[in-house]
Amino acid sequence: MRSERDDEKLMVQYLLGNLSEEEQVRIEDRAFSDSNYMGALEAAEADLIDAYVRNELPQPERRGFERRFLISPQRRSKVEFARDLARIAEASKTAGAVPARPSVWLSLITMARAWNPALQFAVVLIAVISVAGASWLMVQNRAMRSRVASLETERRDLETREEALRRQLGDEQNRAGSLAAELQRRPSVGAPPVASLVLLPGLSRAETSRTQLVVNSSAQLAHIEIVLEARDDYPRYTSELRTRSGEEILIRSNLTRRRTAAGYVVSFDVPTSALGAAEYELALKGVGSDGRPQDLGYYYFSVQKP
Amino acid sequence: MGCPVLLGRFYPAGRVVVDPAGETRRSKWSLTQQGFDGLLTALGPDRGTAADRYLDIRRNLVRLFEWRGCPTPDEYADEAINRCARKLAEGEQIRDVATYCIGIARMLVLEMSRELAKEARPLDKAPEPQTPPEPVGDPEFRMECLQRCLDQLSAENRKLILHYYQGDKEEKIKNRKGLMQIFGVPPSTLRMRALRLREGLHLCALNCLQRQGRTSM
């Protein structure tokens, strides 16, 4: 199969009259039946003419060309036209010979020059708005990215903290588990370590009502809480605990009241070792700002040690 | 085999000089209106279409004689058509007029080659070789017309035709690659596009010169 280059060479030889009659007929028949081939033959003729006017043909071909092309007015006209076209093409050379792909900006500017001033103004305005819009979007985009990054960091911190808390919780649970196990191992687990006694105003102040404080063997302290009446408002309080026989057991001074759900209370702890199984009297005194004590009430209770 | 010189002389040195006042070829049969009508009828029932076909056939005949190096391709083409019309007038059945005309054209080329051979002269009797004929028409006007025709082209086509034919070998190849990129077409398409533009420009320039009475290009 003949390549395009071979075809081209054959066409040139045909145009220069260097082929046999048979080959000439073959080329002509193909040209008359195939428009593409006819076009290629015409293009080859144009290129040959150009090569001639540019002195690019070797001497033998040049002579053949002159014999073949310079005898008819039509072909001479073609040769002269090719010469003129080459001259104008060379003269039109500007900055560079290579017709580089025109830049989009250059094309736009060229196009814009042909517009009327109103259209030019409108386009410039649109361009300015577009640039401003694009800049704003870029700034927004950047801020958004920064915010997203910060949120991401925050999320990671929270995850880390959550993880730490989970670990801590796990540790606490383990500890609680081991403490529970230890408590189970101890036989006295059921008894509270602190004995509590709440003394209410009113009945407990009277000898007729006796309150009991049960002190288990495991209890180290007895927590005594005295609920005050609204009028018993002093900066300091003193509590004196004694047996019914008058033996003083404990005096606690400088006590302050505190608010609880039940009202104002004064509380203090007594070592259980100081309490025997007996009946006791507790005197509560309010100490005013002048330092003078004022009796507020006497409470009676008994201690039981099972 | 090339077309012999009918209206001029062929010199052994290879130069050809057309002699307008030289021997003129006389056809024994000339085309009459009746003969032309018969030819058109053979080309098709519709006269308009037949006329187009006639013009195609004549254009191809002119091309063929030009390719074969005839000095007067138009006259040879007309002679081939006349002979075909004559055969038709004589009642010959011709299936494909175009192919028949091409056949006649090739016979004409052979006939004239034989006549050329008879006219061949020894070298010592041949005149001195002559230089190629001077360009026809005023070069200045030719350039002016061509420039005007270029100005009539669209910017894209003007760029194409000027860049396509600009520069020497290497530069030309580079230019054409650039054009292929710009227009996004393969080499063959670019070549044909340039050729058609070139033909149009040539015709435009010829018409321009004719209008100015500065023929012929």
Side-chain angles (χ1 to χ4, degrees):
Chain A
M1 196 167 179
R2 201 170 271 167
S3 69
E4 271 184 36
R5 187 175 278 274
D6 291 336
D7 269 345
E8 183 79 16
K9 280 182 184 170
L10 196 70
M11 284 175 191
V12 170
Q13 291 308 308
Y14 168 75
L15 291 166
L16 292 173
N18 295 337
L19 298 183
S20 68
E21 177 64 22
E22 197 181 321
E23 285 172 314
Q24 288 184 92
V25 168
R26 200 178 304 137
I27 286 178
E28 287 157 2
D29 285 348
R30 190 173 166 194
F32 292 134
S33 62
D34 178 356
S35 60
N36 287 336
Y37 193 78
M38 173 69 89
L41 192 54
E42 287 173 336
E45 185 183 27
D47 287 348
L48 190 62
I49 294 171
D50 281 335
Y52 173 76
V53 299
R54 288 172 180 275
N55 291 322
E56 290 171 359
L57 285 181
Q59 194 56 27
E61 290 186 2
R62 193 171 176 81
R63 278 176 172 270
F65 180 90
E66 285 170 350
R67 267 202 304 272
R68 209 70 170 175
F69 279 76
L70 299 183
I71 57 171
S72 78
Q74 286 92 336
R75 276 193 156 175
R76 280 207 303 280
S77 169
K78 284 183 183 176
V79 172
E80 284 156 12
F81 171 78
R83 192 172 281 127
D84 295 342
L85 182 60
R87 206 171 297 158
I88 286 187
E90 291 307 314
S92 76
K93 262 191 198 173
T94 49
V98 185
R101 181 183 283 274
S103 75
V104 176
W105 287 113
L106 197 63
S107 307
L108 282 175
I109 289 166
T110 311
M111 194 168 69
R113 277 181 186 154
W115 296 341
N116 65 47
L119 190 58
Q120 283 177 352
F121 176 76
V123 168
V124 167
L125 194 64
I126 289 167
V128 168
I129 291 169
S130 301
V131 168
S135 307
W136 183 79
L137 279 174
M138 277 171 67
V139 170
Q140 286 296 311
N141 189 24
R142 194 167 296 170
M144 189 76 82
R145 278 168 190 241
S146 159
R147 215 175 130 193
V148 166
S150 130
L151 283 171
E152 182 65 20
T153 312
E154 209 172 308
R155 189 182 63 81
R156 280 187 195 146
D157 288 349
L158 282 172
E159 277 178 1
T160 313
R161 274 176 62 192
E162 188 186 354
E163 186 61 29
L165 284 170
R166 265 192 202 141
R167 274 202 303 273
Q168 202 175 335
L169 182 64
D171 293 346
E172 289 298 327
Q173 280 172 343
N174 290 339
R175 241 180 77 193
S178 49
L179 280 173
E182 194 178 341
L183 280 171
Q184 274 177 356
R185 279 197 300 274
R186 289 185 184 178
S188 58
V189 166
V194 177
S196 283
L197 175 68
V198 177
L199 299 171
L200 295 170
L203 289 178
S204 57
R205 294 192 189 186
E207 285 188 45
T208 52
S209 174
R210 295 284 165 82
T211 306
Q212 286 191 340
L213 171 65
V214 179
V215 180
N216 292 313
S217 59
S218 62
Q220 305 287 315
L221 286 173
H223 181 75
I224 296 170
E225 201 168 77
I226 306 157
V227 179
L228 301 174
E229 287 184 19
R231 62 173 185 269
D232 300 339
D233 183 10
Y234 290 88
R236 295 278 183 276
Y237 296 88
T238 300
S239 174
E240 294 173 2
L241 183 66
R242 62 183 74 93
T243 60
R244 286 295 295 267
S245 57
E247 183 186 351
E248 201 158 273
I249 303 297
L250 181 80
I251 295 175
R252 283 284 172 90
S253 304
N254 284 327
L255 298 172
T256 55
R257 67 176 188 172
R258 61 186 172 88
R259 192 177 178 80
T260 66
Y264 284 102
V265 298
V266 171
S267 62
F268 60 94
D269 294 325
V270 182
T272 53
S273 56
L275 296 172
E279 290 184 353
Y280 292 90
E281 180 190 69
L282 189 151
L284 180 67
K285 294 179 181 176
V287 181
S289 48
D290 56 356
R292 287 185 182 175
Q294 175 77 38
D295 287 341
L296 295 179
Y298 292 89
Y299 299 87
Y300 298 95
F301 63 93
S302 61
V303 173
Q304 285 191 350
K305 288 192 171 181
Chain B
M1 183 178 290
C3 183
V5 182
L6 288 184
L7 302 175
R9 290 193 175 87
F10 182 77
Y11 296 97
R15 302 290 185 194
V16 172
V17 177
V18 175
D19 179 6
E23 302 167 55
T24 51
R25 192 180 180 288
R26 286 188 174 76
S27 181
K28 291 174 185 174
W29 187 89
S30 53
L31 185 65
T32 59
Q33 183 61 48
Q34 197 183 353
F36 188 67
D37 287 345
L39 178 70
L40 289 183
T41 306
L43 288 172
D46 175 60
R47 198 172 170 85
T49 314
D52 287 342
R53 283 208 66 201
Y54 164 78
L55 290 174
D56 279 345
I57 291 168
R58 190 177 184 282
R59 197 177 303 122
N60 280 346
L61 287 170
V62 171
R63 276 183 184 135
L64 186 144
F65 286 115
E66 217 176 274
W67 289 335
R68 292 290 186 117
C70 296
T72 53
D74 286 300
E75 287 184 26
Y76 274 99
D78 287 339
E79 177 62 22
I81 287 170
N82 286 357
R83 288 192 186 191
C84 178
R86 182 183 170 184
K87 288 287 179 190
L88 285 167
E90 286 169 1
E92 191 161 324
Q93 293 295 312
I94 301 172
R95 268 191 187 177
D96 184 348
V97 175
T99 308
Y100 190 83
C101 286
I102 296 291
I104 292 174
R106 287 186 181 129
M107 278 174 56
L108 267 173
V109 169
L110 288 172
E111 274 178 28
M112 299 312 146
S113 297
R114 280 198 287 272
E115 281 181 21
L116 177 68
K118 282 181 200 168
E119 287 176 5
R121 286 171 287 188
L123 269 177
D124 56 345
K125 289 185 181 174
E128 284 299 307
Q130 296 185 17
T131 52
E134 287 301 310
V136 181
D138 187 332
E140 196 182 325
F141 281 107
R142 283 205 326 262
M143 292 289 279
E144 196 182 311
C145 275
L146 180 55
Q147 190 58 60
R148 266 189 222 170
C149 291
L150 275 167
D151 292 343
Q152 287 170 20
L153 292 178
S154 67
E156 188 182 76
N157 283 339
R158 191 164 52 246
K159 185 186 189 81
L160 189 151
I161 192 83
L162 289 177
H163 283 298
Y164 191 86
Y165 291 108
Q166 206 172 65
D168 293 329
K169 282 180 182 174
E170 280 181 20
E171 192 185 349
K172 200 183 279 178
I173 290 168
K174 200 174 162 191
N175 282 349
R176 290 179 184 182
K177 278 183 181 169
L179 287 170
M180 280 189 278
Q181 275 192 331
I182 290 172
F183 296 109
V185 292
S188 55
T189 308
L190 182 71
R191 194 183 192 202
M192 291 314 296
R193 201 164 155 187
L195 178 71
R196 297 304 168 217
L197 278 174
R198 178 192 177 117
E199 285 173 346
L201 266 183
H202 189 191
L203 194 65
C204 171
L206 286 174
N207 289 337
C208 169
L209 282 172
Q210 275 175 358
R211 276 198 304 276
Q212 293 190 355
R214 309 271 179 182
T215 51
S216 65
M217 192 175 173

